[in-house]
Amino acid sequence: MTASVSAPASSVLHLHLLLAPRGQLSADGQLGELIRERRSRLGGDGGILYLSPELLATQPLAAKSLASADQEAVAAQDPAVITWLQLRFGGRRQSWELAVAALPAGSLDLPPAVALPW
């Protein structure tokens, strides 16, 4: 996932997550802008995935109580990306082992668009 999730389906990814309450990461639109810029510059998924609260609830993280039902997350293989995002947005870090074949559908989606105030 460094520039693209292109590892064989049997591979296991070691991802670093940034977990936060719903909206803490995505509410102001800056995370979506950052992801779009990374994907434009690096190609593919830009080495970063967004997991909405709905998507996160379907993952083994929720079953293991690593994530609550009303959290969102950003995942990256590069721990420096998560460190930078944590400094910017807050939240807590978590590690996640995931088979490439189990990569959640929808994780390449951008955070929801922010409504303009005017």
Side-chain angles (χ1 to χ4, degrees):
M1 204 180 89
T2 49
S4 176
V5 182
S6 59
S10 61
S11 296
V12 173
L13 295 171
H14 178 75
L15 299 173
H16 301 273
L17 292 177
L18 181 61
L19 294 158
R22 179 187 297 262
Q24 183 172 330
L25 303 175
S26 64
D28 65 3
Q30 291 183 22
L31 178 64
E33 184 177 328
L34 175 133
I35 292 172
R36 277 190 297 280
E37 288 174 5
R38 284 185 62 91
R39 289 178 180 175
S40 174
R41 188 171 29 94
L42 299 175
D45 59 27
I48 189 169
L49 302 173
Y50 173 72
L51 300 165
S52 67
E54 296 76 20
L55 192 57
L56 195 57
T58 67
Q59 298 307 305
L61 290 168
K64 293 179 183 175
S65 299
L66 300 177
S68 72
D70 203 29
Q71 288 187 310
E72 61 185 348
V74 177
Q77 281 185 307
D78 183 352
V81 171
I82 297 303
T83 298
W84 184 84
L85 290 171
Q86 185 178 31
L87 290 170
R88 166 62 185 87
F89 294 105
R92 68 179 172 89
R93 298 174 68 118
Q94 185 71 45
S95 293
W96 187 25
E97 297 286 335
L98 177 72
V100 171
L103 195 63
S107 60
L108 294 176
D109 294 347
L110 293 171
V114 177
L116 297 174
W118 52 87

